[in-house]
Amino acid sequence: MRRRAPRDFEPETVIYDFSKHCPCPCQPLCCPCCCPVPQRDPESCCIAQIKNLIIQLISLFSTQTTISVTVTTKSGAALIGIPAALFSTGTDFGVFTLKNAAGEIIHAIPLGAIAAIYVPTSAGLSSITYLPVPLCPKPCDPCSEAAIRAYLATVPPTSTVNFLIENGIFASGRLYRNEYCLAVITNGTGYPTFVQTCAAEDVTITAPSNG
């Protein structure tokens, strides 16, 4: 006698309460905040903050013709121009464009290439706002910005902070703001340099001379 073929197996549907069963390490703020695979770019955690800064620089300076910012790239280039616009497809980091006084675009800089931005004026500096530290930073993002930020918090206010970026480029000044993924240092005139801390290869502190 022939046996009947067994019915197809129908697995039981299980609905997890992620407040009690969390497969990722950022409990209890789980699980949408965790990424499933490691990020390819270890500096990707800094892109949101640098994009937030650039949007504000465009708002402050794009309509004038006398203030040009200097964008230092990780390869060592110093690109000078007036903030113009930010282009993004929504799925990438985006491109920051600079223009000349005639309004012509002279540079288009990928956000992932930016190490620092120098602004030759203190006007509007106090109005710039910064993104807070995420409630649940992605644990698979190998960016060491939290460690750098914690280290900078120990710097005496009268000391000079020196950032070594790739290819021997330095950015130095007094620490004005110590933000998520972004350190703001000022020179003797009070003009700011915004350093993407994920791009730093070394940070040294110079104490003020007694003489």
Side-chain angles (χ1 to χ4, degrees):
M1 182 175 62
R2 297 178 60 184
R3 295 183 179 180
R4 291 189 303 172
R7 294 182 179 179
D8 292 338
F9 175 71
E10 296 181 0
E12 179 184 2
T13 300
V14 178
I15 300 176
Y16 284 99
D17 180 351
F18 285 121
S19 65
K20 299 178 180 178
H21 305 89
C22 183
C24 60
C26 54
Q27 299 180 8
L29 300 174
C30 186
C31 248
C33 57
C34 296
C35 53
V37 294
Q39 299 291 327
R40 292 183 178 179
D41 184 355
E43 290 130 23
S44 61
C45 62
C46 289
I47 295 300
Q49 188 71 280
I50 202 74
K51 181 180 288 188
N52 170 67
L53 169 67
I54 287 171
I55 290 171
Q56 295 177 81
L57 294 180
I58 293 169
S59 177
L60 285 170
F61 303 118
S62 64
T63 59
Q64 52 79 53
T65 58
T66 58
I67 297 175
S68 294
V69 302
T70 300
V71 178
T72 301
T73 68
K74 296 173 186 177
S75 66
L79 308 176
I80 302 174
I82 300 168
L86 176 65
F87 290 95
S88 176
T89 64
T91 59
D92 57 15
F93 290 162
V95 172
F96 179 31
T97 60
L98 303 177
K99 61 185 179 180
N100 58 22
E104 301 166 327
I105 299 298
I106 53 176
H107 297 293
I109 312 163
L111 266 61
I114 296 174
I117 301 176
Y118 169 70
V119 180
T121 180
S122 57
L125 178 59
S126 60
S127 67
I128 291 177
T129 60
Y130 304 89
L131 299 178
V133 179
L135 292 176
C136 180
K138 294 180 178 180
C140 53
D141 200 335
C143 179
S144 58
E145 81 79 29
I148 296 176
R149 183 160 33 89
Y151 176 68
L152 291 176
T154 68
V155 175
T158 56
S159 296
T160 298
V161 182
N162 311 292
F163 290 93
L164 172 64
I165 308 170
E166 294 182 22
N167 295 297
I169 301 170
F170 276 96
S172 299
R174 297 276 181 88
L175 187 64
Y176 175 74
R177 297 289 295 260
N178 182 22
E179 300 291 340
Y180 172 64
C181 292
L182 201 67
V184 187
I185 55 178
T186 57
N187 58 19
T189 58
Y191 299 164
T193 298
F194 301 87
V195 180
Q196 187 177 171
T197 52
C198 289
E201 293 187 342
D202 187 25
V203 181
T204 59
I205 309 301
T206 304
S209 61
N210 295 325

